[in-house]
Amino acid sequence: MTIQFLQHTLFFPMMIYGFGFLSLSASLVLPWALTGLVQGERITESLVKDVGQLSTVQEMPLPSRKLISAIPTATTFYVNSNGNDRNRGLTPSSAFRTIQRAADLTNPGDTVLIMNGVYRNAYPTGSVLDIKRSGRANAWITYKAYPGARPKLQHNGWHGIWIYNKASYIEVNGLEVVGNNRNITLAYAKSQKYNQSNPLTNGNCITIDGRAKGRTHHIRILNNKVHDCGGGGITATASDYVTVDNNEVFNNCWYSIFGASGISLLDTWNSDNSRNYKMFITRNKVHNNQMLIPWIENGKFQDGNGIIVDRSRNNGYRGRTLIANNITYKNGGSGIHTYESDHVDIVHNTAYLNNQTAVINYGQIMSNHSGDIKVINNILYSAPNRPISLNGGSTNVTFNYNLYNNNGSRVNAVGPNDIMADPLFINASNGDFRLKRNSQAINSGFRWNNLTTDVVGNSRVYGSASDRGAYEMRY
C-alpha cells in the first residue's frame, strides 16, 4: 500500500450515520393508525402528542442574495475538452483541456467557464476536480458551465468534485457530475462489501470536506445534475454556510458500504456565533437514492435518505438549517431526515413514496433524536400501511399544516392543522407533483415569512393562503 493511497483513504469515506446504533422498534416508536378518518378530515388536537404549537415558530431572516460586485482584477478562465493545458486559458479559443489546470490558477473573484465535453479523473482514485484555493467574502471563485454548454464530469474515483483544504467562498454552478454506477453490477458490489478501499463502488459525486486539511465554509452548489455515484450525491462534512439549491440528485448511494444519502450535511461546525439561517437545502429534486449494500459499521440498511441533516450536535452547531421547496421521492430511507441535529426548519416540501428499502420504516419525514425541529406546510405521501411521519426520541418538535395521504398509513407525529387527504398530484408516477385544481393542499397552508417563492420560482402566496407542498399553484 503506497503513501499516496493512505492519504486518500484518510478522507474519502462519507459516513452518514442516519440512525447509528438506533433501530426503530415498537418500544421506541408507537405509530398511530388513522384509518378511521374520512377523506379530507382534519386531524384533531386530541391526536397531538409532544408536538409543539406553531406559535413557537421563530422565523429567521434570509441573508441577502445580492450579486457580488465584480472584482477589477478578476480573471475568467476557459476550459474545453478539446483544449490544451499549455494554452493560456484566457479565451474560448485558447482554452485549457482540464478543469484542474484552471482551478490551480484561480484567485479570489475568478471564474472558470467550462465548455461542452466529457471531463474525467486523471488517475484511477482521483477526482475530476480538486478545489483547494479559496475566494473571499466579496470575491467568490466560481466554476460554472459556459453559456449554453452542458459539460459532464464523469468519474470512477473517490470524488467527482472534492472541495477541501479550507477552500471557502466557492460556487459550483450548472454542471453534470456522473459516477460509476452504470459500470457496476450488484453482484460485483456485494463481493466488495468489506472493501473500504474501492472507489469504483464508493465514489461520491460532490464532496465538501471540512475534515481534510481544514474547515470549509461559504459554499454554493447550484443548478447541477448529480447522479449515479455509488456513494453520496452532494455531501458537506464539517462545513458551515452551505447552500444546495436547484439540483437534481438521483441514482446515488447504491453500492457504497459507508451509508450514504442523496444530499447530506454531517457534523456541521460553527464558523461564527450566528444563530440565523446558515445552511440551505432548497428547490432540489432528489430521487432514487438507495442503499443496496449494507453499512459496513453494523451490517444494516439504514440510510439512502433523500436529504439528511446528520449529527450537527457533535460540534454544538448553533445556526439554523432551512430545508424548503424540495421534492424527494422513491429514496431508500426517509425523504427528509434529521439525526442528532437541532434548529432545522422543514417547510414546503413534497415527500412521496420514500422508504423504498424494505427494512426501513422511518416515514417520509423523520425527526430522530433531534431538537427544535419544525415541519410545516409539507405533503407526505406514503405507501399503504407504511409510516408517514415519525418523531423518534426528539424534543421541541412541531408538525403542523402538513397534508398526509389517507391510505391506511401510520402517522406518528401530527399537529392540529394537519389534514388527511389525497393531495391530487397531476402525475406522480411520472414525477409531476404539481397539484390539481381541487387539491386540499391549495390555499390551506401557513404563511412562512421570508420564503417567498416555490420550487420553480413562482411567488408565494398566490390566492388566500400558501399551498402545502413544494408548488404554489396559479389557479
Side-chain angles (χ1 to χ4, degrees), residues 32 37 41-49 414-418:
W32 301 337
L37 295 178
E41 182 177 350
R42 175 166 293 180
I43 300 173
T44 63
E45 293 190 38
S46 63
L47 294 176
V48 178
K49 182 178 181 181
V414 297
N417 298 289
D418 290 344

Side-chain angles (χ1 to χ4, degrees), residues 143-211:
Y143 298 82
K144 63 189 299 185
Y146 182 85
R150 301 179 65 180
K152 179 183 293 187
L153 283 65
Q154 175 79 57
H155 78 101
N156 59 6
W158 284 116
H159 313 279
I161 299 174
W162 189 18
I163 303 172
Y164 66 105
N165 194 42
K166 297 189 289 187
S168 300
Y169 302 105
I170 301 294
E171 179 176 306
V172 176
N173 194 331
L175 308 180
E176 181 176 4
V177 183
V178 188
N180 195 49
N181 282 0
R182 294 176 183 176
N183 300 316
I184 297 295
T185 65
L186 181 57
Y188 174 77
K190 287 180 177 179
S191 76
Q192 300 295 300
K193 66 180 181 179
Y194 300 114
N195 186 354
Q196 301 185 48
S197 305
N198 190 349
L200 299 178
T201 52
N202 295 295
N204 305 290
C205 281
I206 299 178
T207 305
I208 305 162
D209 196 345
R211 302 167 302 171

